Amino acid sequence: MSFRTTRTTSAVDYVEDVSPGSGALPPRAWYASSDATSYSLNGSWRFRLSATADAQDDSFAGEGYDCASWAEVTVPGHWVLQGDGAFGAPIYTNVLYPFPVDPPHVPTENPTGDHLRVFDLPSDWPSDGGAVLRFDGVESCARVWLNGTDIGEFKGSRLAHEFAVGHLLKPSGNVLAVRVHQWSAGSYLEDQDQWWLPGIFRDVTLLHRPAGGAGDFFVHASYDHTGGEGTLRVDSDVDGRVLVPALDIDVATGEAVTVAVEPWSAESPRLYDGELVTEGERVPLRIGFRTVALEDGLIKVNGKAILFKGVNRHEWHPERGRTLDLATMREDVLLMKRHNINAVRTSHYPPHPAFLDLCDEYGLWVIDECDLETHGFGEQQWRDNPVDDDRWTPALLDRAARMVERDKNHPSIVFWSLGNEAGTGRGLTAMAEWIHGRDSSRLVHYEGDWSCRDTDVYSRMYASHEEAEQIGKDLDGGPHKRRELPFIQCEYAHAMGNGPGGLADYQELFETHDRLQGGFVWEWIDHGVAHPELGYAYGGDFGEELHDGNFVCDGLVFPDRTPSPGLLEFKKVIEPVRIQGDGADGTVRVTNAYDFADLSALAFEWAYQVDGETVEAGALSVPPLAPGESAEVKLPQAPAPARGGSETAWTVRALLAADTAWAPKGHVVAWGQVPVTARPVPSVSPTGRPALDGDRITLGPASFDARTGALRTIGGIAVENPRLDVWRAPTDNDDGTEWKSGINYSALWRALGLHRMRHRLDSVEAGEDALTVRTRVAPAAQEVGLGTVYRWTSDGERLRLTVSVSPEGEWKVPLPRLGVRLGLTGADRVTWFGGGPGEAYPDTRLASMVGRWESTVDGLQTPYVRPQENGARADVRWVELGGLRIEGDPEFFFGARRWTTEQLDAATHRTDLTAGETVWVHLDHGVHGVGTQSCGPGPLPRYHLLAEPAEFSFVFSVSDSPTR
């Protein structure tokens, strides 16, 4: 007896259909409100989860179905982030598809969520006209029924879909049923380096469509910079009139009018309130006049070349995933504006449309990106890639049209992007041709086509500084068309963990070469998922069989939107006012680095510091410089220092002169420091003599172990043996592999054994005026080592340690750090004179302002989602903690934490770190740069810490004001 089964046509075949769906209305412009009635269907819905797409029939969609036993979920929302794990779990992959690559098929194991909502129409719901049911975002495929009638199905997770439902509505007891499948053919187009999170995650709205109501419309608002005039024309598929009271405009749709206007730009986002008035509806308009063009090989807006100082932004909330409310979206925009960011790439899909409203209102250039990425096909050399398969082209064109039609009335959008990391192919060409034909007022972007066949800009990601410079000098070669196009880095400076390094070096290139029109840091926010035991979870924490770990945590803000040191560094690097000087002639040079705005909105102030403390301050008169202009500004007469031998400097700040929509008066936009006199180098005249006292050696205020020469106390304060330290808990960038060279610093360091150095004591020598301890520090199984000599001297009250390091053998890798580590008990408060207030490393130190700072030991830590080296303060002259004062010669990097480097290295989440009684203090002569090698180039050679002969000193004394 034998039998066989075959796959047959079923009621869920639409899941694997490559078409975009059926039943949905053509896409149209999105607007938040009008005088037509609308009704939100957000809220609590009944929910049933099935393991497969066809486990349940569609009887649940009918009237009278008993769903009392079902669970409840909140819509909008992702079901895997609700139900305390009862509804499955998130999955994170960067490139790999979490299902077999067999397009368009998906696994039988396909989590499917049935959603049910019963609703009554509002009492004021009009009885005439029609109605539209709108879904703003559903992942990844949905089928919809209303009152038992199947009205259609759709794919395109981050795109709006509308259905005509007026003929199906009744006053009460309406049954809206939505079946959502996690996997579908559409999933092959949405492999976008993010959590896979199924559900109805954006708004669901019922819209009344009155007779004669507005349908689709296109606001064309250009600006002629030569005459200062704007031309407005609103094309509409329903006749009406366009009213703009502030401009005395009252014209018919389709009719153009030219008037004097103030243009829209990211720096001055002037919007004019208007209305589209049709027979049955009044739709508010917010009109920004601006012209985007490709001229002279440059991206120009309103006749001027612009420089993108941007970020890539995935939508994210640590508890709600990609479900964002308006307040959270506004918080993102305000944070960007307050940190001098002027542009956003909506990686890698159109955002919630309300976010674009905020970009219009507050002023951000936008690259709006299509909901398209097929990155996983790169693993098979792009074989079977949907973007080069004609069967998928209708779906690609549908996604392009739904982006453009929905978002076309936003002045903030200057580029349409075809998608991301989808290889090349005929489908992309079809998309580009359609977009160019539909909207000639914007440019088209796509990074994956280096031939620039279909695009208006040469775009790359993670090009090194060297390559970017070659492109800026037009020495990069390539097709003729590409050589004539401007260049942007649509992704650069991967902001994963501690970093990104090298931002200032990139910005110098962008500002030096006209062709380099800036870039977009990857990315805005860490996508950590709030977790009761781990703090924030990342890939692998939910048991995924395939995952990419904490690569999902690569943002300039932490999951709770707290700015990281990387964001503060970026703010300083891209600040729109340059304040420079050397203090020799009593002037500073102020340069306006805005593209459009003069400096009239800013007030300037000076402060004069002595040893890091401000002794006098006042206002500084700076002319309202036009963009690109500079002026030498005279500083006041420098006050006489309160004491001789002090380090003095000027700090000049540019502040908002009045409240703005995005920040209050006094908000610091830019700053600069001008040194005047250098600090005196700390010195100790040796007068004390080492003396043997039992098992101890005393020298001035200190005692040492007589056998090992290890320091034990200073002025009665216990100190755990200071000794040479070269290891740091690798950062995410240390763990990365540089694309071109293949270098992985963490792997090289571990292979050499730098995480397990051994200290050999060679001699303890008590001389006439010094205690000298000779050692060799080296890893097991290696010939290389560091000959290290500790020389201790004292003048009776202060203790000086001079460390001399001599590399032995052939060192082929840089060192992670070079300095001294020691332990203190009872330390908490920290005061220091040096760079602050936050962390800094050799290639992330531009935002480090020299001054006098205070913190707790815990406050020194940077809470990266995955623990790693953090918290160093740069250019430290002296630090006080635990009752000790430590001065450096030369300046040093300082850090302190309540766990060892080894414990930090072993931790995978913040909750793995448990504070001990000992505070471990790092006094580093040098540290290796951090770079951006988690995805991109490593530290530039000038930021490498080479194993070379070195000598550095620290002076210890008991603090006058203990900071225990």
Side-chain angles (χ1 to χ4, degrees):
M1 180 178 181
S2 65
F3 66 90
R4 70 176 182 177
T5 60
T6 59
R7 187 182 181 94
T8 59
T9 300
S10 74
V12 294
D13 279 354
Y14 64 88
V15 172
E16 295 184 337
D17 190 339
V18 299
S19 74
S22 65
L25 295 169
R28 64 184 182 120
W30 187 93
Y31 50 93
S33 63
S34 74
D35 64 348
T37 304
S38 65
Y39 180 53
S40 173
L41 293 172
N42 294 346
S44 180
W45 290 48
R46 289 291 185 171
F47 176 75
R48 175 180 64 187
L49 182 64
S50 302
T52 65
D54 58 358
Q56 302 287 343
D57 60 26
D58 59 8
S59 61
F60 81 104
E63 299 177 67
Y65 184 86
D66 183 6
C67 63
S69 63
W70 288 21
E72 293 186 25
V73 294
T74 298
V75 171
H78 306 279
W79 71 66
V80 294
L81 296 182
Q82 304 183 56
D84 294 326
F87 306 142
I91 299 170
Y92 167 61
T93 60
N94 169 30
V95 175
L96 302 177
Y97 289 103
F99 48 80
V101 181
D102 182 23
H105 304 299
V106 295
T108 300
E109 296 84 1
N110 187 357
T112 296
D114 289 334
H115 299 71
L116 201 60
R117 170 76 188 265
V118 179
F119 66 94
D120 300 335
L121 292 177
S123 58
D124 61 348
W125 191 265
S127 59
D128 63 330
V132 165
L133 177 65
R134 183 176 69 213
F135 295 88
D136 282 316
V138 183
E139 182 177 331
S140 73
C141 173
R143 189 166 193 167
V144 186
W145 296 261
L146 181 61
N147 292 329
T149 298
D150 182 352
I151 60 175
E153 77 281 343
F154 61 91
K155 307 177 190 75
S157 298
R158 269 66 70 177
L159 299 163
H161 294 81
E162 293 183 329
F163 298 88
V165 296
H167 60 294
L168 299 174
L169 290 172
K170 55 186 182 180
S172 63
N174 293 283
V175 179
L176 176 57
V178 185
R179 174 164 285 169
V180 180
H181 307 281
Q182 175 156 21
W183 309 122
S184 71
S187 301
Y188 284 100
L189 305 180
E190 297 172 3
D191 186 25
Q192 294 153 326
D193 184 13
Q194 61 180 330
W195 293 98
W196 300 85
L197 298 173
I200 306 171
F201 68 94
R202 287 186 187 157
D203 306 294
V204 182
T205 312
L206 187 66
L207 303 167
H208 176 241
R209 303 311 304 139
D216 190 23
F217 58 92
F218 196 162
V219 177
H220 303 273
S222 61
Y223 179 71
D224 179 1
H225 67 279
T226 62
E229 293 179 321
T231 298
L232 175 66
R233 187 186 81 246
V234 178
D235 295 332
S236 172
D237 59 5
V238 176
D239 289 341
R241 300 198 68 79
V242 177
L243 311 178
V244 187
L247 298 175
D248 292 326
I249 290 176
D250 181 350
V251 297
T253 54
E255 180 180 332
V257 59
T258 299
V259 294
V261 298
E262 298 174 35
W264 188 98
S265 73
E267 294 168 9
S268 302
R270 180 65 164 97
L271 293 174
Y272 291 90
D273 290 327
E275 273 191 314
L276 169 61
V277 181
T278 68
E279 179 184 353
E281 189 174 13
R282 303 177 75 95
V283 179
L285 304 177
R286 303 206 78 191
I287 302 165
F289 291 88
R290 57 103 187 95
T291 294
V292 183
L294 186 63
E295 295 177 353
D296 306 318
L298 298 174
I299 305 159
K300 293 186 178 182
V301 178
N302 301 335
K304 290 189 176 183
I306 61 174
L307 185 63
F308 291 118
K309 303 171 182 178
V311 292
N312 287 272
R313 175 187 176 267
H314 267 299
E315 294 181 303
W316 187 250
H317 187 281
E319 296 171 346
R320 301 191 297 272
R322 283 188 289 280
T323 298
L324 301 186
D325 58 12
L326 184 62
T328 301
M329 290 185 264
R330 179 174 281 110
E331 184 179 359
D332 278 345
V333 172
L334 293 179
L335 278 170
M336 291 175 191
K337 293 291 291 186
R338 291 168 184 168
H339 289 85
N340 295 328
I341 290 164
N342 72 359
V344 178
R345 176 179 174 228
T346 69
S347 53
H348 297 292
Y349 42 82
H352 191 292
F355 178 78
L356 298 174
D357 286 342
L358 295 169
C359 294
D360 295 341
E361 178 182 351
Y362 292 102
L364 289 168
W365 308 118
V366 175
I367 295 180
D368 197 5
E369 192 146 89
C370 192
D371 191 8
L372 174 63
E373 181 169 337
T374 63
H375 203 165
F377 285 90
E379 297 297 301
Q380 54 197 52
Q381 289 73 53
W382 301 105
R383 186 174 60 255
D384 299 326
N385 185 9
V387 304
D388 200 28
D389 184 335
D390 290 338
R391 295 175 301 165
W392 294 80
T393 299
L396 303 185
L397 290 172
D398 180 76
R399 289 174 182 243
R402 290 190 180 279
M403 170 183 67
V404 172
E405 302 295 5
R406 192 198 74 168
D407 296 343
K408 58 182 176 281
N409 295 326
H410 291 282
S412 56
I413 297 172
V414 294
F415 269 97
W416 301 116
S417 179
L418 303 180
N420 183 68
E421 293 175 318
T424 58
R426 291 163 287 175
L428 289 169
T429 298
M431 293 170 69
E433 290 176 349
W434 184 89
I435 293 173
H436 275 121
R438 176 58 174 148
D439 180 19
S440 61
S441 69
R442 295 178 174 92
L443 305 179
V444 171
H445 167 272
Y446 178 66
E447 180 273 338
D449 179 13
W450 291 5
S451 72
C452 300
R453 177 184 61 185
D454 303 318
T455 65
D456 300 312
V457 64
Y458 179 26
S459 176
R460 291 280 302 280
M461 53 177 67
Y462 308 108
S464 68
H465 299 83
E466 179 183 12
E467 186 176 5
E469 184 174 26
Q470 291 296 101
I471 294 170
K473 293 178 177 179
D474 297 326
L475 299 176
D476 56 305
H480 178 74
K481 179 184 178 183
R482 190 179 86 185
R483 296 198 304 272
E484 294 182 335
L485 294 179
F487 175 80
I488 63 171
Q489 290 253 48
C490 69
E491 295 179 23
Y492 81 112
H494 197 251
M496 185 177 179
N498 188 336
L503 283 170
D505 307 278
Y506 271 120
Q507 193 65 23
E508 183 179 2
L509 293 172
F510 297 158
E511 295 180 6
T512 299
H513 303 285
D514 290 343
R515 187 187 181 193
L516 306 184
Q517 292 195 250
F520 298 78
V521 170
W522 185 269
E523 66 156 302
W524 176 241
I525 188 168
D526 285 343
H527 301 186
V529 177
H531 193 284
E533 297 172 1
L534 302 175
Y536 291 111
Y538 49 76
D541 288 334
F542 296 99
E544 306 101 302
E545 64 178 1
L546 292 175
H547 67 85
D548 286 287
N550 70 313
F551 204 70
V552 77
C553 297
D554 46 12
L556 291 171
V557 297
F558 297 126
D560 63 357
R561 286 178 162 75
T562 299
S564 75
L567 180 57
L568 301 179
E569 177 78 358
F570 193 42
K571 175 186 178 181
K572 176 62 179 169
V573 166
I574 62 175
E575 61 188 9
V577 182
R578 298 284 186 259
I579 302 169
Q580 300 165 312
D582 61 11
D585 59 358
T587 65
V588 291
R589 185 172 183 82
V590 178
T591 302
N592 180 352
Y594 283 111
D595 291 326
F596 296 93
D598 63 24
L599 300 188
S600 60
L602 301 179
F604 290 78
E605 65 178 26
W606 60 268
Y608 188 74
Q609 281 109 12
V610 176
D611 291 336
E613 291 188 298
T614 296
V615 295
E616 287 193 36
L620 185 66
S621 179
V622 175
L625 301 170
E629 287 187 346
S630 297
E632 298 291 336
V633 179
K634 186 69 175 176
L635 292 166
Q637 182 68 35
R643 53 191 176 276
S646 297
E647 179 176 356
T648 60
W650 298 95
T651 298
V652 176
R653 293 177 173 87
L655 321 168
L656 289 180
D659 292 346
T660 69
W662 50 270
K665 176 182 178 180
H667 168 78
V668 177
V669 173
W671 58 270
Q673 289 192 299
V674 179
V676 180
T677 60
R679 75 171 182 130
V681 175
S683 62
V684 173
S685 299
T687 58
R689 177 173 183 168
L692 183 63
D693 182 9
D695 62 352
R696 297 292 176 106
I697 295 175
T698 61
L699 177 62
S703 67
F704 301 81
D705 184 288
R707 184 181 64 84
T708 65
L711 177 67
R712 294 298 183 224
T713 65
I714 299 175
I717 298 171
V719 181
E720 188 158 337
N721 184 25
R723 63 180 188 174
L724 193 75
D725 187 25
V726 299
W727 181 242
R728 75 182 184 198
T731 67
D732 290 318
N733 287 304
D734 294 337
D735 284 335
T737 300
E738 209 275 334
W739 288 13
K740 289 188 176 181
S741 67
I743 291 174
N744 179 305
Y745 288 107
S746 174
L748 290 174
W749 293 338
R750 291 187 192 276
L752 190 59
L754 300 188
H755 60 307
R756 49 178 174 78
M757 300 290 275
R758 297 291 180 259
H759 297 251
R760 186 186 75 204
L761 177 63
D762 288 339
S763 67
V764 178
E765 305 166 6
E768 287 294 319
D769 60 1
L771 175 65
T772 303
V773 180
R774 303 183 187 277
T775 69
R776 187 176 190 269
V777 183
Q782 304 291 339
E783 291 183 316
V784 298
L786 299 171
T788 307
V789 178
Y790 308 96
R791 187 173 188 271
W792 299 92
T793 57
S794 176
D795 60 6
E797 293 185 357
R798 296 182 298 164
L799 181 71
R800 183 184 184 98
L801 166 64
T802 299
V803 182
S804 302
V805 179
S806 301
E808 301 172 359
E810 186 179 3
W811 286 83
K812 297 181 179 180
V813 300
L815 297 172
R817 68 172 359 121
L818 182 67
V820 170
R821 178 170 75 168
L822 57 89
L824 296 173
T825 57
D828 183 27
R829 299 296 306 179
V830 183
T831 302
W832 74 97
F833 175 25
E839 75 179 23
Y841 289 80
D843 50 353
T844 63
R845 68 196 304 172
L846 206 66
S848 181
M849 179 184 287
V850 174
R852 184 124 15 142
W853 308 102
E854 292 187 6
S855 175
T856 62
V857 169
D858 292 340
L860 294 174
Q861 314 311 307
T862 302
Y864 294 113
V865 174
R866 185 191 73 82
Q868 56 198 272
E869 165 62 32
N870 73 89
R873 269 57 179 180
D875 304 308
V876 175
R877 283 77 164 147
W878 55 257
V879 61
E880 293 184 354
L881 79 163
L884 289 182
R885 179 182 177 94
I886 307 169
E887 300 172 78
D889 178 15
E891 290 84 8
F892 58 98
F893 289 88
F894 160 76
R897 55 180 67 101
R898 299 187 188 279
W899 36 78
T900 65
T901 299
E902 292 72 23
Q903 291 168 325
L904 184 63
D905 190 6
T908 60
H909 295 82
R910 300 178 196 172
T911 50
D912 294 334
L913 295 169
T914 302
E917 294 184 359
T918 301
V919 170
W920 295 98
V921 178
H922 292 269
L923 311 172
D924 289 322
H925 176 61
V927 294
H928 189 62
V930 295
T932 178
Q933 196 164 306
S934 54
C935 189
L940 289 169
R942 59 178 167 273
Y943 303 122
H944 289 195
L945 179 62
L946 302 179
E948 297 176 332
E951 184 172 286
F952 49 94
S953 298
F954 301 102
V955 175
F956 299 84
S957 59
V958 176
S959 173
D960 293 334
S961 53
T963 52
R964 287 179 177 268

